[in-house]
Amino acid sequence: MPETLLDVEHLSHVFRLSKHAHIRAVDDVSFQLHRGEILGLVGESGSGKSTVARCLMNIYQPTAGVIRYQGVNILDRREFARNRKMLETRRQIIFQDSASSLNQRMKVADIIAEPMHIHHIKPPRGSLREEAAYQLKYVGMDASYLDQYPSELSGGQRQRVAIARALSMEPELLVADEPIASLDVSIQAQIVNLFKHCNQEHGFSILFIAHDLAMVEFLCHRVGVMYRGRMVELAPTAELFGDPRHAYTKALLSAIPYPDPVIQKNRPRVDFEELEFDREGAFTEVTPGHFVLQEDRR
Ligand SMILES: Nc1ncnc2c1ncn2[C@@H]1O[C@H](COP(=O)(O)OP(=O)(O)OP(=O)(O)O)[C@@H](O)[C@H]1O
Ligand SMILES: [Mg+2]
């Protein structure tokens, strides 16, 4: 049995907009992330992916549900406080716009070393600067960038610095919320290969949120599909792409452009808005490891 690193049970998050209006951004979502696994999370814009990611990282306090990281209930204040250092160092998140939130007045070396400094972590490779150089090299940039400021770098380089900063904590879990969406295609491939390397060589577990289904298929071991706040399907990647069961998953996959224009033209199109969708259904294991939100007409 693979070790469960992250255990999410019945997670819900409601945004209250006013006295009378609210958005059910995440609705009764359960899944597990195993150690050493890359789990993809896909679904249309507004389906709740980022809200899940933020709940997992204690950025939002969910409305309901339980989240355990290595058995620690991270939503319980006391348990969180007791495990604070572990939770703040071993879990790291990268956003689509992480690059833009880098401190413009700090040099790359200091940006990368800052979390080690804050958490009083002894740099494994000697000085903080040597450590920064190592992490920078790891993301494919040489030491000549150490003394540059973010404004002197390209968008792709800045995002790589943000990733180097996250990796400096040697996390066990990397939550990557559309980390490559704003980058050039060639840089996207580099970053995705970097994630693959981190996973294969160093056993990092990754929650990878993306719109690019080809990247998800290439990188992830399993994939969860979200639709309007619910997880509608979760399966090993090959099975999800080869044998999708939920109507929304089928619709989502049919929207992937096909390289052959003739085949592409003749493929049936599914309109997301017309989907029959029973949000009260039960998340059921239809074959081992393959979960589907099933119609539950009571
Ligand atoms: N801070 C917030 N306040 C109010 N509503 C929010 C907030 N953040 C998200 N929402 C709403 O919650 C729902 C889920 O949003 P979320 O950002 O989690 O979706 P997403 O799947 O990450 O979408 P995208 O693919 O566009 O990033 C949406 O309806 C969104 O408008
Ligand atoms: Mg999002």
Side-chain angles (χ1 to χ4, degrees):
M1 274 298 272
E3 184 192 339
T4 301
L5 191 62
L6 186 68
D7 190 10
V8 179
E9 281 175 37
H10 304 295
L11 180 69
S12 294
H13 192 58
V14 176
F15 289 107
R16 295 232 162 269
L17 303 178
S18 70
K19 234 179 182 175
H20 307 290
H22 65 268
I23 295 177
R24 196 170 285 280
V26 176
D27 186 8
D28 196 9
V29 166
S30 301
F31 65 91
Q32 296 179 330
L33 193 144
H34 306 134
R35 184 183 288 282
E37 173 179 53
I38 308 182
L39 178 66
L41 204 53
V42 300
E44 68 184 338
S45 189
S47 55
K49 306 178 300 293
S50 293
T51 306
V52 168
R54 292 190 154 138
C55 290
L56 301 181
M57 295 301 292
N58 290 99
I59 299 171
Y60 294 152
Q61 179 71 17
T63 314
V66 180
I67 303 173
R68 286 198 185 79
Y69 183 78
Q70 288 205 324
V72 175
N73 178 353
I74 65 165
L75 303 179
D76 180 278
R77 277 202 193 148
R78 282 208 192 136
E79 276 198 53
F80 181 88
R82 263 202 300 275
N83 296 280
R84 177 174 219 115
K85 185 167 180 185
M86 181 275 278
L87 292 169
E88 287 183 352
T89 55
R90 295 200 201 150
R91 299 177 305 167
Q92 296 291 323
I93 187 164
I94 302 164
F95 302 103
Q96 178 174 348
D97 59 351
S98 285
S100 62
S101 56
L102 299 178
N103 188 333
Q104 298 297 321
R105 286 186 291 275
M106 281 168 75
K107 288 182 179 174
V108 166
D110 300 324
I111 290 172
I112 297 174
E114 189 182 42
M116 282 181 284
H117 187 64
I118 291 172
H119 292 288
H120 308 291
I121 291 171
K122 197 169 164 285
R125 278 158 275 271
S127 67
L128 285 174
R129 191 180 167 84
E130 278 164 335
E131 188 64 28
Y134 174 84
Q135 296 298 347
L136 201 58
K137 184 150 180 264
Y138 199 80
V139 297
M141 291 168 68
D142 64 59
S144 65
Y145 290 101
L146 283 173
D147 292 312
Q148 302 216 328
Y149 291 92
S151 60
E152 299 172 289
L153 306 177
S154 71
Q157 289 169 334
R158 282 200 288 272
Q159 188 70 340
R160 280 188 275 172
V161 170
I163 293 170
R165 178 183 156 97
L167 296 183
S168 74
M169 294 281 88
E170 308 211 318
E172 290 168 325
L173 173 67
L174 197 62
V175 173
D177 188 357
E178 303 200 39
I180 56 174
S182 57
L183 305 178
D184 294 346
V185 174
S186 63
I187 311 281
Q188 284 188 356
Q190 268 183 36
I191 304 258
V192 165
N193 281 320
L194 173 69
F195 285 168
K196 201 161 204 157
H197 176 85
C198 288
N199 170 258
Q200 286 175 343
E201 303 300 319
H202 305 280
F204 285 6
S205 310
I206 303 176
L207 183 75
F208 184 74
I209 300 176
H211 280 273
D212 185 335
L213 295 172
M215 287 287 187
V216 169
E217 189 175 15
F218 169 73
L219 186 64
C220 300
H221 300 113
R222 289 191 303 150
V223 181
V225 181
M226 289 193 65
Y227 182 58
R228 298 193 193 170
R230 291 230 56 177
M231 188 170 278
V232 297
E233 191 154 358
L234 174 69
T237 304
E239 190 162 331
L240 188 100
F241 280 82
D243 184 20
R245 303 289 184 98
H246 193 277
Y248 175 69
T249 313
K250 291 179 186 173
L252 185 74
L253 297 183
S254 77
I256 304 178
Y258 205 83
D260 183 327
V262 177
I263 298 178
Q264 169 69 16
K265 197 165 146 253
N266 295 322
R267 287 163 89 210
R269 282 262 164 190
V270 192
D271 186 350
F272 292 171
E273 295 306 315
E274 286 174 15
L275 273 186
E276 266 214 33
F277 174 55
D278 179 7
R279 59 180 318 123
E280 304 305 320
F283 203 48
T284 312
E285 192 167 15
V286 289
T287 57
H290 192 155
F291 296 83
V292 183
L293 187 71
Q294 289 202 319
E295 303 270 321
D296 182 17
R297 302 246 176 262
R298 273 161 299 188

